[in-house]
Amino acid sequence: MPLQQSRPPLPSADKRWKLVNATMRRNGYAGHALIETLHSVQDAFGFLDETSLRFVAASLDLPLSKVFGVATFYHIFMLKPKGRHACVVCTGTACYIKGAGALLEGIQERYGVDPGDTTEDDRLSVLTARCVGACGLAPAVVLDGSMIGKQTSDTLIAQLEELD
Amino acid sequence: MHLEDLADKAAEFRAEEAAVEQEIRVCVAASCQSSGSVEVLAALRQAHPDGDQSCKVKGVGCMGLCSAGPLVAVADKGGELVDSILYRDVTPDDAPDIMGSVRGAPVERLRCPTEQPFFSRQHRIVLENSGIVDPVSFKGYVVAGGYAALLQAIIELTPAEVLHEVTTSGLRGRGGGGYPTGLKWSTVAKMPSGQKYVICNADEGDPGAFMDRAVLESDPHRVLEGMAIAAYAVGANKGFIYVRAEYPLAVERLRTAIRKAKRGGLLGSKIADTEFSFEIEVRLGAGAFVCGEETALMASIEGLRGQPRPRPPYPAESGLWGCPTLINNVETLANIPPIIREGGDWFASIGTERSKGTKVFALAGKIHNTGLIEVPMGTSLRDIIQVIGGGIPEAKAFKAVQTGGPSGGCIPERHLDIPVDYDSLKTLGTMMGSGGMIVMDETSSMVDVARYFMEFCMTESCGKCVPCRAGTQQMYGLLDRVARSQATRADLSLLEELCEVVQATSLCGLGQTAPNPVLSTLRYFRHEYEERLADASARASASRSHQDE
């Protein structure tokens, strides 16, 4: 009979670790729950840091290299913290045809950040997405989780300016 | 639950709403939600006079014309979308007017005519409940006749009879490949009994395609029903739905639907007191386009990096955790309940000789009516774009329509009269794909479009095989030179040569089809490439003569 692996202790008293642990428990600590678990880490903490990757690897009894491999393979997982606000510009085909490029240029011109980067004051992260499925509203932007459609560079910058 | 019980239940649910004569339907699918339909729904509920039983306000799935959202329809109970009074661009302030119009004259300033071809030319099978039924209501789906096909299949038909109906229907995979669904099911069914899986591929990665999203958000129970029928036919007891994490609303509605179906006794163990048990689990993608490829998708469900592996063995023989696995696309599975209900022959009577049934298309880009349509196979592209889609806005000229996403190609004006089906699109160097159609007008540069798709394939390549990993990088570099008017004629022929190599030697569909957008734009819009070359040589000779001076 294989030895029952002892689970590692939670990295800190932070309650969010309990959420992560709950996801793993629900899946019986099976290795195939890795992606689900990483999703729940990112939902709770906003990004994946080394502590969380080590904790997940030890809990699911997976090599750290494999966990790191999965975390870096999928675009959705972030290894760096995001700024206070996230602006995701859709670059799907419909948005591309209708001028998503101009939105990104406008942001670059105003804030000097490229997709994937965060402004120096940690105020705004700029990201791109491969089609958010709102092609009827092209070009679409997801600003802090809510979708805003039919944007121009001017209307988008105006909304970004209003963020605190 | 037996068929009679289901009928009783449906009658019971119907009786609860016997007093309702009119429905005010507000689209609560993602596109209308982002234009503010949730607020519209709340405002209408508030404006609804208390105690008025004859009029009901409810959220429904996608009505199709996404660019005019939020859409609100006032209809007779259970009535069709085309017979309703449809309002467009509704704001919460319009709620009292709409409520006041229920038994009086329509609010003309908000009217969106439903006699227009966009609505009247559609033939809805997959989307028959979409825009009519409340997507979060189990009762609503049962009243609309839902789950009767599942019970009919498991109680009255043998798995072989179900397979027969699906084979007769001539249904082909709606995910893009067009593989006959009946054949795929039979292969899995023939494998020795034991652990088998059914997977619903809801990783709709093609940019510009949102058909599956609409089906999942508008009618999630139908996908579950289709999966359960498939599981019965092939002998599986466990299913996974692999959904993109970019579709949070679809994920939420699927989870709700699974919970309610289980409580209703239509999923779980020993369904309808038979030996058939079936559980469904939702798995989230994590933003990798390659996971739409079936072997990569299975790797991702297993918690691994989403990298494809060589086939054979096909998933039907050795799939998820080495077990026989049936993988179907959302729209394919959504076609199953009506096929069981109406019979395979009925389905086969719609469409063309070799492509049966209807197809849902997502119209986007430079077109008047952006949104979702469902038309019989064989409808001409010109009909779809000029008549149903309403043509190109701002009096611009049509240039091309792109189908099949990054694996497809562009079709020019002179081929617009071909009927849309799997085979005719292939002869034009493109493919059906999952159903995204992106229309481009005269202002779009085809070289830029080809470069856009190559950039997409380059970043989405999983890196496992060399032709795709290195080839897409090199092709992108060459296309970039062309687009910047820095390419020579030798670059262009190198590009064409690379296209052939990558097509012939890549491991999976992503690499094999990555050159398609380049090849098809070269085939129909070669002059645009030539023009950029001419620029390049003119500039080169200018700088040479400059040096000579």
Side-chain angles (χ1 to χ4, degrees):
Chain A
M1 200 181 119
L3 249 143
Q4 180 64 40
Q5 272 273 324
S6 61
R7 311 258 169 247
L10 301 186
S12 72
D14 195 324
K15 284 208 177 92
R16 290 176 290 183
W17 290 116
K18 290 196 171 158
L19 294 173
V20 176
N21 218 10
T23 305
M24 294 191 285
R25 195 175 330 114
R26 197 171 53 243
N27 286 290
Y29 293 94
H32 62 77
L34 175 57
I35 295 172
E36 297 289 301
T37 311
L38 293 180
H39 270 300
S40 89
V41 174
Q42 183 149 312
D43 287 347
F45 293 91
F47 73 109
L48 312 173
D49 64 358
E50 195 187 318
T51 316
S52 60
L53 293 180
R54 282 187 187 280
F55 171 64
V56 170
S59 304
L60 299 180
D61 199 15
L62 293 170
L64 184 60
S65 59
K66 196 180 147 189
V67 174
F68 189 69
V70 168
T72 49
F73 181 86
Y74 293 97
H75 303 306
I76 231 167
F77 297 129
M78 315 255 304
L79 302 180
K80 288 186 294 197
K82 275 194 278 195
R84 277 180 285 126
H85 299 284
C87 171
V88 184
V89 178
C90 177
T91 55
T93 321
C95 292
Y96 169 78
I97 295 285
K98 288 206 160 177
L103 299 184
L104 288 170
E105 276 165 28
I107 292 174
Q108 159 68 27
E109 207 169 281
R110 174 68 187 77
Y111 301 104
V113 279
D114 288 318
D117 287 342
T118 305
T119 52
E120 277 185 13
D121 57 1
D122 269 343
R123 182 171 162 271
L124 181 69
S125 288
V126 179
L127 304 160
T128 54
R130 290 300 190 193
C131 195
V132 292
C135 308
L137 302 172
V141 173
V142 183
L143 184 56
D144 287 336
S146 55
M147 177 108 56
I148 47 176
K150 299 182 186 168
Q151 293 296 305
T152 64
S153 186
D154 294 340
T155 59
L156 178 61
I157 298 286
Q159 294 184 68
L160 293 178
E161 286 292 295
E162 278 175 21
L163 301 172
D164 61 271
Chain B
M1 166 117 46
H2 289 253
L3 265 173
E4 303 78 45
D5 300 337
L6 189 72
D8 287 350
K9 263 219 163 119
E12 185 189 312
F13 295 153
R14 223 172 270 130
E16 284 174 20
E17 300 199 331
V20 177
E21 290 162 10
Q22 296 266 299
E23 290 175 339
I24 300 181
R25 303 171 183 157
V26 183
C27 172
V28 289
S31 190
C32 279
Q33 273 206 2
S34 40
S35 348
S37 70
V38 176
E39 291 78 18
V40 171
L41 181 63
L44 279 165
R45 289 225 161 106
Q46 188 141 32
H48 183 252
D50 290 334
D52 181 1
Q53 300 278 325
S54 64
C55 169
K56 186 186 176 194
V57 179
K58 68 177 188 180
V60 295
C62 185
M63 297 192 234
L65 195 55
C66 302
S67 53
L71 291 168
V72 173
V74 179
D76 294 339
K77 183 163 72 170
E80 297 286 329
L81 179 61
V82 281
D83 303 324
S84 68
I85 294 165
L86 191 64
Y87 298 119
R88 57 179 296 164
D89 300 308
V90 179
T91 63
D93 297 338
D94 299 321
D97 286 354
I98 292 178
M99 194 53 76
S101 78
V102 167
R103 274 173 214 87
V107 189
E108 288 304 333
R109 67 188 164 87
L110 299 170
R111 273 300 278 281
C112 176
T114 51
E115 311 83 63
Q116 58 177 315
F118 183 85
F119 295 102
S120 62
R121 289 286 304 274
Q122 294 198 41
H123 184 126
R124 292 178 153 224
I125 296 174
V126 170
L127 300 176
E128 63 184 354
N129 289 337
S130 182
I132 298 173
V133 166
D134 183 350
V136 290
S137 162
F138 173 71
K139 289 181 182 178
Y141 186 65
V142 170
V143 168
Y147 288 113
L150 171 63
L151 291 187
Q152 188 192 342
I154 61 179
I155 295 168
E156 293 174 0
L157 304 177
T158 63
E161 285 168 332
V162 174
L163 283 178
H164 177 76
E165 288 302 328
V166 174
T167 309
T168 320
S169 75
L171 177 66
R172 293 170 68 175
R174 297 291 193 246
Y179 190 78
T181 307
L183 201 57
K184 204 181 214 179
W185 286 27
S186 306
T187 318
V188 183
K190 272 187 210 132
M191 295 300 290
S193 58
Q195 181 67 59
K196 293 181 187 177
Y197 295 102
V198 172
I199 297 176
C200 170
N201 182 349
D203 189 54
E204 187 174 48
D206 283 8
F210 49 98
M211 301 75 47
D212 294 349
R213 170 182 207 156
V215 173
L216 295 170
E217 288 175 352
S218 308
D219 205 4
H221 282 286
R222 168 185 287 255
V223 179
L224 306 185
E225 185 176 1
M227 281 180 83
I229 295 171
Y232 175 71
V234 303
N237 62 9
K238 171 96 195 170
F240 288 95
I241 306 180
Y242 187 85
V243 200
R244 298 179 75 193
E246 288 89 337
Y247 290 176
L249 189 63
V251 173
E252 180 195 315
R253 293 208 173 139
L254 276 172
R255 289 198 166 132
T256 309
I258 291 173
R259 209 179 56 238
K260 290 187 175 175
K262 259 176 125 163
R263 206 184 307 149
L266 292 156
L267 285 178
S269 58
K270 299 203 183 292
I271 300 168
D273 299 325
T274 62
E275 286 304 304
F276 175 62
S277 303
F278 188 56
E279 298 278 354
I280 298 180
E281 209 176 296
V282 175
R283 279 293 164 100
L284 288 190
F289 173 68
V290 70
C291 287
E293 200 278 341
E294 52 187 19
T295 58
L297 186 151
M298 292 187 304
S300 186
I301 291 182
E302 292 175 17
L304 308 171
R305 293 159 58 151
Q307 289 185 316
R309 59 159 179 75
R311 298 176 300 180
Y314 284 90
E317 295 155 27
S318 171
L320 203 56
W321 290 295
C323 303
T325 304
L326 174 72
I327 302 191
N328 276 140
N329 159 273
V330 172
E331 195 185 329
T332 315
L333 290 166
N335 269 305
I336 300 298
I339 288 176
I340 299 300
R341 190 180 67 212
E342 313 277 343
D345 291 325
W346 161 80
F347 192 82
S349 69
I350 306 162
T352 64
E353 179 66 36
R354 300 196 49 215
S355 301
K356 301 298 187 192
T358 58
K359 178 80 193 80
V360 183
F361 291 104
L363 296 180
K366 302 284 180 72
I367 188 161
H368 254 291
N369 301 331
T370 20
L372 274 193
I373 56 159
E374 182 173 358
V375 290
M377 290 277 191
T379 309
S380 81
L381 274 172
R382 193 180 298 279
D383 258 8
I384 292 177
I385 293 163
Q386 304 290 6
V387 181
I388 301 175
I392 318 293
E394 297 168 21
K396 295 262 173 44
F398 171 88
K399 187 184 232 176
V401 55
Q402 210 279 344
T403 68
S407 318
C410 296
I411 301 165
E413 162 81 28
R414 65 175 183 277
H415 289 302
L416 277 190
D417 287 312
I418 63 135
V420 177
D421 61 33
Y422 292 99
D423 309 296
S424 57
L425 285 177
K426 239 177 222 159
T427 61
L428 294 180
T430 177
M431 61 190 266
M432 177 80 85
S434 51
M437 280 195 184
I438 291 138
V439 179
M440 297 169 207
D441 67 10
E442 53 192 319
T443 60
S444 313
S445 149
M446 302 318 281
V447 178
D448 289 349
V449 168
R451 180 177 61 170
Y452 165 81
F453 281 118
M454 194 52 73
E455 194 260 342
F456 182 91
C457 291
M458 178 179 75
T459 34
E460 294 298 334
S461 171
C462 77
K464 182 167 177 170
C465 72
V466 179
C468 175
R469 183 179 67 221
T472 51
Q473 194 100 30
Q474 294 304 324
M475 286 192 286
Y476 175 75
L478 291 167
L479 280 167
D480 194 48
R481 286 173 61 108
V482 178
R484 290 170 192 277
S485 302
Q486 292 168 348
T488 61
R489 200 155 287 279
D491 287 333
L492 195 58
S493 46
L494 181 60
L495 176 65
E496 288 186 85
E497 205 178 314
L498 256 177
C499 283
E500 276 173 44
V501 173
V502 173
Q503 208 167 33
T505 55
S506 291
L507 174 61
C508 80
L510 192 152
Q512 288 159 8
T513 58
N516 285 1
V518 183
L519 290 171
S520 91
T521 47
L522 270 171
R523 179 166 162 191
Y524 299 117
F525 300 96
R526 198 177 184 93
H527 55 277
E528 294 197 13
Y529 284 80
E530 299 279 347
E531 278 161 23
R532 305 265 179 131
L533 285 189
D535 282 6
S537 58
R539 207 173 317 151
S541 64
S543 77
R544 226 182 352 255
S545 64
H546 191 73
Q547 281 166 2
D548 290 345
E549 277 168 18

